């Protein structure tokens, strides 16, 4: 909340009470001056002046009569004092958050936020206006691929994590191409690269696991509750992984990017552990400490020959094997069906 009365800080309890009593004072018609109010509330005259200016920002019709030297209401004010006031920038920030939620596929929360924005907009001073349609036309979030279907269980899982309720999942694991059933203890819901994940303790595997929420086929929230493990730290759990795929080992990864590709690599923070070392020829060495190599391998392959794995050997071998498979595939002639003319037959 911004404004002269709050100095950009949220309203505190004593100020809310003082504002409400100032409203009652103005409604009574008794003479009101900053000096008199300052003595009554045991604050400075400057504070009272700021309070009155704040009331005006909230739409309270406060005026000053120089002849009688008193503040008064220009017209009856029967509304309740809104406890939340926003300025243009803050309302726009809510709209931006709604667009971000939609980009992540969280359409239920985006709809709730949109409804909240409409209610909050009623407390904006009349000259201030934010057009949601204009903002939508001038701002857009493109988060890359995202689930095709709405996330039915996102809100349910958030509530289950907050209430520490055990959840029974029927979950499709695409690596095994199989549906499994298990009880989990939900700890947190995490958004990563346009996808939502549930971080939970899996009773079937007896370990922490990540579940893509769009792969949950069905769930039931149990009446049973659980106690969170006191030694579990979400930041520590997520931090070492490069993406959402992890295993029990930590790897020291050493990559070398060509001078050309290095221009873009040095612009980004790819991982909390990264160390960048410039080389005399303009190439760039990147050192990482990560748990799991699956997402690192995909990242390296996306740069083709512009990135070389120096270590660890297991990752270098994995990339080399994939490169050989690709060379074999692209070195073979393209299959043409019996009715597909060759290039020499086309005009």
């Amino acid at each position: 909340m911004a404004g002269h009365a709050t100095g950009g800080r949220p309203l505190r309890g004593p100020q809310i009470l003082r504002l409400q009593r100032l409203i009652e004072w103005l409604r009574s018609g008794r003479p009101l001056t900053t000096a008199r109010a300052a003595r009554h509330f045991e604050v400075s005259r400057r504070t009272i002046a700021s309070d009155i200016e704040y009331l005006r920002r909230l739409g309270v019709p406060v005026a000053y009569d120089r002849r009688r030297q008193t503040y008064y209401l220009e017209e009856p004010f029967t509304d309740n004092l809104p406890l939340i006031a926003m300025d243009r920038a803050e309302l726009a920030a809510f709209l931006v958050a709604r667009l971000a939620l939609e980009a992540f596929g969280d359409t239920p929360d985006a709809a709730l936020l949109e409804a909240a924005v409409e209610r909050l907009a009623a407390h904006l001073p009349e000259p201030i206006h934010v057009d949601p349609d204009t903002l939508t036309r001038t701002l857009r979030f493109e988060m890359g691929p995202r689930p095709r279907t709405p996330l039915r269980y996102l809100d349910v899982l958030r509530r289950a994590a907050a209430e520490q309720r055990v959840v029974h999942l029927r979950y499709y694991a695409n690596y095994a191409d199989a549906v499994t059933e298990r009880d989990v203890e939900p700890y947190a819901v995490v958004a990563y690269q346009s996808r939502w994940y549930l971080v939970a303790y899996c009773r079937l595997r007896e370990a922490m696991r990540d579940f893509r929420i769009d792969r949950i086929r069905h769930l039931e929230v149990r009446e049973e509750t659980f106690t969170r493990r006191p030694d579990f730290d979400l930041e520590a759990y997520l931090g070492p992984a490069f993406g959402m795929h992890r295993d029990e080992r930590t790897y020291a990864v050493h990559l070398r990017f060509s001078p050309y590709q290095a221009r873009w690599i040095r612009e980004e923070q790819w991982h909390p552990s990264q160390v960048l070392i410039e080389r005399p020829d303009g190439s760039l060495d990147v050192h990482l400490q990560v748990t799991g190599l699956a997402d690192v391998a995909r990242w390296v392959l996306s740069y083709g020959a512009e990135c070389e794995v120096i270590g660890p050997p297991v990752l270098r071998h994995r990339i080399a094997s994939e490169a050989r498979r690709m060379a074999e595939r692209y070195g073979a002639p393209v299959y043409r069906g019996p009715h597909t003319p060759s290039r020499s037959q086309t005009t």
Side-chain angles (χ1 to χ4, degrees):
M1 185 181 312
H4 301 292
T6 62
R9 297 185 298 274
L11 287 174
R12 298 174 182 240
Q15 186 182 10
I16 294 173
L17 182 60
R18 191 172 62 247
L19 291 173
Q20 187 60 54
R21 289 183 175 174
L22 282 172
I23 289 283
E24 294 169 0
W25 193 334
L26 289 164
R27 284 172 176 161
S28 73
R30 292 182 287 115
L32 171 60
T33 65
T34 55
R36 183 174 295 180
R39 287 193 301 269
H40 179 79
F41 293 111
E42 298 182 348
V43 296
S44 68
R45 293 178 62 180
R46 183 175 180 180
T47 296
I48 297 298
S50 295
D51 286 344
I52 290 173
E53 180 60 26
Y54 193 86
L55 289 174
R56 286 172 173 158
R57 286 171 54 83
L58 295 180
V60 180
V62 182
Y64 184 71
D65 187 330
R66 293 185 179 278
R67 184 179 61 81
R68 294 190 299 136
Q69 295 185 339
T70 182
Y71 289 96
Y72 69 100
L73 292 175
E74 288 185 298
E75 57 187 64
F77 181 77
T78 57
D79 295 339
N80 292 325
L81 179 67
L83 300 184
I84 298 177
M86 307 183 72
D87 63 14
R88 179 189 181 95
E90 289 167 331
L91 185 63
F94 270 86
L95 293 170
V96 170
R98 175 176 66 82
L99 293 174
L101 288 173
E102 288 179 342
F104 268 113
D106 186 1
T107 49
D109 278 343
L112 288 174
L113 193 53
E114 183 176 15
V117 167
E118 290 177 358
R119 291 196 299 272
L120 290 168
H123 298 312
L124 284 174
E126 193 63 33
I128 298 178
H129 178 65
V130 178
D131 182 4
D133 292 334
T134 299
L135 189 65
T136 302
R137 289 195 300 269
T138 57
L139 180 66
R140 187 176 180 86
F141 287 85
E142 287 294 341
M143 309 299 291
R146 60 182 178 180
R148 291 182 300 165
T149 56
L151 300 177
R152 294 180 294 166
Y153 303 121
L154 185 59
D155 186 55
V156 174
L157 289 170
R158 276 200 302 253
R159 283 189 278 114
E163 297 171 4
Q164 296 179 205
R165 301 270 295 278
V166 175
V167 175
H168 180 77
L169 298 182
R170 189 158 73 242
Y171 183 75
Y172 171 71
N174 64 351
Y175 72 92
D177 191 24
V179 175
T180 62
E181 298 202 25
R182 63 191 77 197
D183 284 346
V184 302
E185 301 171 4
Y187 275 55
V189 171
V190 176
Y192 179 77
Q193 291 188 348
S194 303
R195 299 177 181 90
W196 289 91
Y197 294 83
L198 172 67
V199 177
Y201 179 81
C202 177
R203 292 181 173 179
L204 178 66
R205 305 303 180 195
E206 299 184 334
M208 297 301 298
R209 288 289 186 267
D210 306 329
F211 301 93
R212 262 184 60 167
I213 292 178
D214 59 304
R215 291 180 185 154
I216 296 175
R217 297 293 186 257
H218 182 71
L219 67 75
E220 294 179 13
V221 179
R222 305 288 202 200
E223 292 296 326
E224 178 187 359
T225 60
F226 67 92
T227 301
R228 293 174 64 95
R229 286 156 177 75
D231 58 343
F232 178 79
D233 182 271
L234 183 63
E235 293 298 324
Y237 175 75
L238 295 174
F242 194 92
M244 292 300 293
H245 295 85
R246 71 196 80 243
D247 58 35
E248 301 302 322
R249 290 189 55 187
T250 298
Y251 299 87
V253 174
H254 180 186
L255 309 175
R256 181 165 297 158
F257 287 89
S258 69
Y260 172 77
Q261 193 61 52
R263 303 173 198 170
W264 287 270
I265 296 300
R266 61 172 63 95
E267 289 181 336
E268 307 288 346
Q269 178 73 34
W270 300 99
H271 192 265
S273 70
Q274 77 178 38
V275 175
L276 308 183
I277 300 177
E278 303 282 351
R279 293 174 54 81
D281 65 352
S283 60
L284 183 70
D285 279 9
V286 177
H287 295 266
L288 309 168
Q289 294 286 331
V290 301
T291 54
L293 295 174
D295 287 320
V296 178
R298 296 188 187 98
W299 186 56
V300 168
L301 287 166
S302 70
Y303 292 104
E306 302 294 332
C307 178
E308 178 186 0
V309 176
I310 308 301
V314 63
L315 179 59
R316 185 177 176 92
H317 174 75
R318 182 171 180 172
I319 299 300
S321 297
E322 194 66 26
R324 284 192 293 270
R325 288 180 59 209
M326 292 175 66
E328 291 170 0
R329 173 155 299 180
Y330 286 99
V334 176
Y335 170 75
R336 298 181 183 279
H339 303 294
T340 304
S342 65
R343 181 178 298 178
S344 61
Q345 294 174 312
T346 59
T347 57

